[in-house]
Amino acid sequence: MGKHISYTLKAGLATLGLALLAGGAAQAQDIRERNLRFAFSLAKDHPLGLGAQKFADAVAAKSGGKMKVSLFPNAVLGSDQQNLSAVRGGTLDFTSMATGIVASLDKQFMVFDLPFLFNDAKEAYAVTDGAVATRLLDGLQAHGLVGLGIWDLGFRNMTNSKRPIVRAEDMQGLKMRVISSPIFIDLFTTLGANPLPMTFGEVYGALESKAIDGQDNPVAVIESAKFAEVQKFLSITRHVYTGMPFMMSKKTWDGMSADERKVIRDAAVEAKTEERRLTQQKEAQAVDALRKTMQVNEVSEAEMVRWRAKVQPVVDKFSREIGEGVVKDVNAELTRMRGAK
């Protein structure tokens, strides 16, 4: 009996030892209590806002609740440019904004804004997840940022209060808000419009007061920003695809352990996948919803050929400015992909 007790005791101690080791391994994860802030210009119910919530939830789950991410949508902490500056300075931890704005730090990001570059979302995702994009995101560290992937805003379309845009000539004289990016200013000028750079938070008021006639954005943004209240016409032009680099402050990143960085990277991948899924889902729904309150028109493929020819000088000019090597690499990725279809 004594031997039996001894054996049972040893087995129990061994089990306890394994439990302590497992507990120790969990405790060994170097994760501190952190309160992090993520600010962006879009609404909380936009796919990007929902993607941000997915990121916050995933960070909390993967860190055992130690790392918390608070969201600040609707530009409540400032414009995209102000958020970008705050993340670089370390007073804000995360933000996401259009590639055209990030190009103010590295003009190579303008490659993603070349008009009519992508035929569909599948092509856009392949390139924004590819070697060129990875290289550009890694290069953001020199500007105080850590690139955590490129989220999806979608293909941009035109709205205005004057007339349907069916032909390129219909753009003539329209006062159109554009993001503060040289490529957008030249694109709209070439199409005959009067481009007015403006932060996103100012657009609704400018449309309402008729300070501007129109703007361009993906349909999910047009719907969530309630532009249908102040715009009559929506023209499906899909003239530029807009990716949204998701960025973190390098100062915050540098203060994190390897375990904390893994939590952030893994959560960012999950959030990007979900945000893209929601964007695709929302795009189809948004057009149907907007048809109820706006006059919606498609632009024919024959007319789109004319648009592409008209804006080719813009593509040529900015290809030189971006760096022909970068443009060549992106076109090579697209050629490989299209050949594989």
Side-chain angles (χ1 to χ4, degrees):
M1 187 168 179
K3 286 182 180 177
H4 177 70
I5 291 170
S6 174
Y7 175 79
T8 304
L9 182 61
K10 284 179 180 176
L13 287 170
T15 303
L16 179 62
L18 287 171
L20 287 170
L21 279 172
Q27 291 294 320
Q29 269 208 309
D30 186 5
I31 296 177
R32 291 171 45 196
E33 297 278 347
R34 291 185 182 274
N35 291 302
L36 305 166
R37 303 192 307 157
F38 181 176
F40 48 94
S41 288
L42 294 160
K44 196 170 184 178
D45 64 354
H46 181 274
L48 188 131
L50 298 174
Q53 186 62 57
K54 172 70 175 179
F55 175 71
D57 293 343
V59 167
K62 293 174 188 299
S63 67
K66 288 185 175 181
M67 298 169 71
K68 297 178 179 64
V69 179
S70 298
L71 305 183
F72 297 88
N74 293 315
V76 293
L77 297 187
S79 66
D80 283 329
Q81 287 86 349
Q82 288 169 322
N83 287 338
L84 186 62
S85 178
V87 172
R88 294 179 71 195
T91 57
L92 182 65
D93 302 297
F94 302 100
T95 193
S96 181
M97 63 193 61
T99 46
I101 298 172
V102 180
S104 65
L105 300 178
D106 181 351
K107 65 184 179 183
Q108 293 178 98
F109 274 91
M110 284 194 294
V111 70
F112 304 114
D113 296 332
L114 290 173
F116 303 109
L117 179 64
F118 302 119
N119 290 323
D120 53 38
K122 188 176 179 183
E123 289 187 356
Y125 295 164
V127 171
T128 54
D129 287 341
V132 175
T134 300
R135 187 169 77 234
L136 296 187
L137 287 170
D138 288 347
L140 287 174
Q141 295 214 20
H143 302 283
L145 300 162
V146 175
L148 295 168
I150 298 180
W151 293 11
D152 179 18
L153 196 68
F155 284 87
R156 304 180 83 91
N157 303 286
M158 310 272 192
T159 71
N160 80 97
S161 58
K162 297 284 189 183
R163 55 183 172 266
I165 298 168
V166 178
R167 303 172 306 140
E169 288 78 7
D170 295 326
M171 295 288 296
Q172 195 66 40
L174 289 177
K175 292 179 288 183
M176 298 289 286
R177 176 265 177 176
V178 296
I179 64 172
S180 187
S181 162
I183 196 167
F184 276 82
I185 293 167
D186 270 28
L187 170 61
F188 278 75
T189 301
T190 300
L191 288 170
N194 296 325
L196 298 167
M198 188 179 294
T199 65
F200 183 74
E202 298 174 299
V203 178
Y204 185 98
L207 292 170
E208 187 176 36
S209 68
K210 299 290 196 288
I212 54 175
D213 299 316
Q215 58 84 53
D216 78 318
N217 257 303
V219 286
V221 177
I222 292 165
E223 185 189 24
S224 70
K226 303 188 187 311
F227 289 156
E229 295 175 350
V230 288
Q231 295 277 266
K232 183 176 180 181
F233 302 100
L234 166 61
S235 303
I236 306 298
T237 52
R238 295 172 66 83
H239 51 282
V240 172
Y241 172 80
T242 296
M244 300 284 282
F246 175 40
M247 299 167 291
M248 180 179 183
S249 170
K250 189 172 183 294
K251 286 188 176 180
T252 306
W253 178 262
D254 287 347
M256 285 187 167
S257 68
D259 290 326
E260 290 171 325
R261 291 177 182 180
K262 185 176 187 326
V263 165
I264 296 295
R265 284 209 181 273
D266 290 351
V269 170
E270 287 184 19
K272 179 178 71 175
T273 301
E274 177 68 359
E275 191 273 344
R276 288 176 172 180
R277 184 188 71 79
L278 291 167
T279 295
Q280 291 301 304
Q281 183 184 78
K282 187 67 174 173
E283 187 162 282
Q285 295 171 349
V287 174
D288 289 340
L290 291 167
R291 284 185 193 278
K292 296 173 183 174
T293 52
M294 300 182 79
Q295 186 175 318
V296 180
N297 71 279
E298 308 281 339
V299 177
S300 71
E301 187 49 47
E303 184 59 29
M304 283 285 94
V305 171
R306 290 186 64 232
W307 283 58
R308 289 186 183 97
K310 193 173 180 71
V311 304
Q312 189 59 44
V314 178
V315 175
D316 294 341
K317 173 186 173 181
F318 283 94
S319 292
R320 291 189 294 271
E321 192 168 319
I322 292 161
E324 291 182 353
V326 177
V327 177
K328 184 179 175 184
D329 288 347
V330 166
N331 284 327
E333 287 184 2
L334 286 169
T335 299
R336 280 194 301 273
M337 186 180 185
R338 289 165 184 168
K341 283 183 179 177

